[in-house]
Amino acid sequence: MKLSKILFASHNAGKISEIKNMLAPLGIEVVSSADVTFPDVEETGTTFAENSLLKSQTIAKALGIPCIADDSGLCVDALNGAPGVYSARYAPNRDFDKGIDKLLAEMNESSDKSRKAHFSCVVSLAYPDGRYKLFEGRVDGKIAFEKMYGDGGFGYDPVFIPDGYDCSFAQMSKEEKNKISHRGRAMQKFKEYLISL
């Protein structure tokens, strides 16, 4: 069954434009939660998959239209996988500058001196009848000792250096980051699934 219209469960303008650009070549119209004034769905899950599905299934059922959602976060080895699913809430008042300072301070206090970390993303596609599919993406790397600002990125990007690179996500071009990012990889799998339909 070919999809012609899909709802993206997000109010994040950056993410919405990314998804619209990605799906435009497939002739799929993307509307967002912001377009239909649907409120944010509370993320009460304990995994990225649970949170992603909570959002996509709630909206698909409520509006009777296929819906995609994503949940993603930064997992740091020295902090036992934190901030993980709480990545956005970990930053005081969602101020990621403060969140990065908090992260670096906690890593300095940790007895585990590993800088290893990864970003994970789960994209879910839910249909109004309850069917769903999950698409996962992950990128491994390390946490820098200090912020490495560039012109791009958001969230924890200024301190995340992907494996094989010596610059942070924030220092990469949007195109370069999207090729290797966790969300880029999950969306690529989603796109391949749509093409197979």
Side-chain angles (χ1 to χ4, degrees), residues 64-76:
I65 178 177
C67 178
I68 58 168
D70 83 316
D71 193 41
S72 55
L74 175 67
C75 306
V76 179

Side-chain angles (χ1 to χ4, degrees), residues 88-107:
R89 287 162 278 182
Y90 176 87
N93 299 320
R94 298 197 180 224
D95 178 333
F96 284 97
D97 251 352
K98 288 181 180 157
I100 289 171
D101 291 339
K102 180 179 168 184
L103 178 80
L104 294 174
E106 285 188 9
M107 286 186 75

Side-chain angles (χ1 to χ4, degrees), residues 57-69:
Q57 288 185 320
T58 301
I59 296 176
K61 204 174 283 182
L63 301 181
I65 178 177
C67 178
I68 58 168

